[in-house]
Each structure stands twice: as C-alpha cells, then as structure tokens.
Amino acid sequence: MANTKPPLILAVTGASGAPYARHFLAHLVRLRIPVELVITEAGARLIRDELDAPATPEGLCGRKAPGVSLRSVKDIGASIAWGGMETRGMVLLPCSMGRVGSLAAGLSQDLVDRAAAVTMKEGRRLVLVPREAPVGSIHLEAMAKLARCGVTILPASPGFYTRPKTIEDLLAFLTVRICKSLGIPPPDAPGYRPGR
Ligand SMILES: Cc1cc2nc3c(=O)[nH]c(=O)nc-3n(C[C@H](O)[C@H](O)[C@H](O)COP(=O)(O)O)c2cc1C
C-alpha cells in the first residue's frame, strides 16, 4: 500500500559530514518516513569523497531506500517548492555556510533554497546542521538572523557526555538531536538517557 504520510525534506549540501546524512536517512527509511531528497552539486561531491558512494538515495543510504524520492536541485517547480504541499519540515544536513548565507538573504535560487524558504513561510520546522570551523561573523550573523525567524541551528558537534566509543556513536548522537527537533522518534543511542 502507498505510504500517505507527509514526507520530510532532506537537503544534503556541500559541507563536510555526509556520514551524518547517511545515518539520519537510514533511520528515516527504517521508520518508513517518506523522504524528498535534494542533493546539491557540492553535496554530491562530498558524498562521493566521504562515503565512496554515488549521490543517489541508495548510495547515500548505503542500502535500499524505499520511500526516498530524489529531486533535482535545479527543478524549481518540484512539489516541495510549493507551500500547498504538506511536509513534516526540512533539514539541511550537512548545511554549508554558503547555504546559510543564501537562506538568510532569502535568495531562493534553487530547489534547496526555495523549499527552505517555503518551509519557513509556512511555519514548518526547519533545521540547519552547519559544519564550519572557525565560524566567521558573517556566518554567525546569518545564523542569528535565521534563529530569530524560528529556524533551528543544530551544529554538527556531537557531545561526549554520552561516552561515545565509535564513529557510529557520534553519528547516532546527531541523529537523535535532529529527530527530537523535528518530532520524529529517535533511534536508541548509546549513553543517551531519556530527557536529555
Ligand atoms: C572537500 C570540500 C569540503 C568542504 N567543506 C565545507 C564545510 O565543512 N563547510 C562549509 O560551509 N563549506 C564547505 N565546503 C564549501 C562548499 O562546498 C561550497 O561553499 C559550496 O558552494 C556549497 O554549495 P551548496 O550549498 O550548494 O552545497 C567544502 C567544499 C569542498 C570541496
């Protein structure tokens, strides 16, 4: 039977951290949450470089990816560019600083920008997972502006109070945090206590 639950929009942009996107996407697939996936050109490069995988739903997920629909970043007319399409919200994982800047400026020049702008204007949850170090004042100001608009800024900086032993533990930490921000059931993660 077709899955009629509203999809989550997942955008993979060109910051380092493709393994985070793989971990999160695999969790969504396990939960059978439909996903509208958009991968930028730089995001595709990072998937190839960091995962040795093609920038496809299966390549990113590392397994079969039923329920994941890949949309072209150039397809500005895709359904997720339209406010009338109900979604669970959107996450940019990882989120490049260039993308932070264009979102803060409201440019809407491709499908990632447009879907994020629509998510904001429709009052849905938008989560950005930036990765950059150090972070300059232009980026900090752009993130502050987005945070004031209700966007969740969730840096790719896993905590160590859960005593992670493996890279998988670090990835799980971030997946838990993103799920909690979006109201999605989180995976079991080592060291995570309820309420944290
Ligand atoms: C190997 C590599 C690693 C990069 N890592 C980062 C990063 O961690 N954070 C970031 O903000 N940009 C990073 N960049 C730069 C972005 O990919 C670049 O600004 C790009 O234009 C972002 O475009 P997008 O938002 O359309 O994906 C990296 C680029 C390359 C080639």
Side-chain angles (χ1 to χ4, degrees), residues 84-110:
M85 181 178 166
E86 196 191 338
T87 72
R88 288 170 174 261
M90 177 170 182
V91 55
L92 278 76
L93 170 66
C95 180
S96 73
M97 286 299 156
R99 201 47 73 163
V100 165
S102 64
L103 293 184
L107 297 184
S108 288
Q109 283 181 332
D110 64 16

Side-chain angles (χ1 to χ4, degrees), residues 12-17 39-46 49-50 73 92 94-100 102 110 112-113 130-133 139:
V12 180
T13 73
S16 183
I39 302 172
T40 67
E41 201 178 311
R45 177 174 172 166
L46 271 288
D49 285 0
E50 296 183 342
V73 70
L92 278 76
C95 180
S96 73
M97 286 299 156
R99 201 47 73 163
V100 165
S102 64
D110 64 16
V112 172
D113 275 5
R131 198 231 67 93
E132 187 59 290
H139 299 145

